Amino acid sequence: MGKMLREDWRLVGEALLIGRAECLSEKTGKLNNKRFGEWCQTNGFGAVDRSDRNAAVWLAENWEAVVSVVAACNNTNPRVIQAAYKKAVEAAIAAALDEDTAKKALKFHRMIEDDGAAQAETDMAERQLEPFFVAVIVFA
């Protein structure tokens, strides 16, 4: 794959989101990784590094917030953009809140961003983090 722009990676992420939706297990509603891997191979995404695919999906899901927060990031790699976004959000949280409140908000923010977090854990973190984002309008 040649040099890709952010917008290219967003489009890759949107295509992968379609593939993920097509590969959900009928029993559990969760992603069937084997079917998704086959879908990626069939649709030309098999050669894309798995980490890059995950970051491209994240980029597509968070495009509006990412563009406003990391406009100055010159790198086009979705993993670098994802890291720059996380760093910018964490800096905004730390700058807008007192130290103890910022620590709590950052803890919950990291729980939400953790790909391995259980859904119940993520839901709880989102509920806990919501009041902090009333004070920190990062995603405007």
Side-chain angles (χ1 to χ4, degrees):
M1 220 181 258
K3 177 113 169 128
M4 293 178 52
L5 302 174
R6 280 184 215 171
E7 293 79 12
D8 298 328
W9 281 109
R10 178 181 59 87
L11 293 172
V12 167
E14 288 176 0
L16 291 168
L17 284 168
I18 292 169
R20 282 185 173 188
E22 291 178 10
C23 297
L24 296 178
S25 167
E26 292 178 19
K27 290 181 183 178
T28 65
K30 294 183 180 184
L31 181 66
N32 180 316
N33 288 322
K34 184 178 181 196
R35 278 185 34 209
F36 183 64
E38 292 167 356
W39 184 93
C40 287
Q41 289 294 332
T42 302
N43 290 282
F45 298 104
V48 179
D49 180 81
R50 185 177 184 173
S51 296
D52 287 339
R53 288 194 314 241
N54 288 336
V57 166
W58 175 88
L59 185 62
E61 291 174 328
N62 296 283
W63 181 252
E64 294 299 322
V66 169
V67 169
S68 65
V69 173
V70 296
C73 177
N74 294 323
N75 201 301
T76 61
N77 182 294
R79 287 183 280 173
V80 174
I81 294 168
Q82 187 177 26
Y85 171 80
K86 287 179 181 181
K87 185 176 179 180
V89 168
E90 290 179 3
I93 291 170
L97 303 171
D98 65 79
E99 187 176 346
D100 288 338
T101 306
K103 283 180 184 177
K104 290 177 187 175
L106 289 170
K107 175 185 171 189
F108 294 124
H109 173 69
R110 289 181 184 124
M111 285 174 69
I112 292 167
E113 293 292 319
D114 180 12
D115 288 337
Q119 188 62 47
E121 211 175 42
T122 300
D123 291 344
M124 184 277 301
E126 286 177 347
R127 284 192 303 278
Q128 295 294 325
L129 190 57
E130 191 172 324
F132 299 120
F133 278 108
V134 171
V136 182
I137 309 292
V138 175
F139 304 112

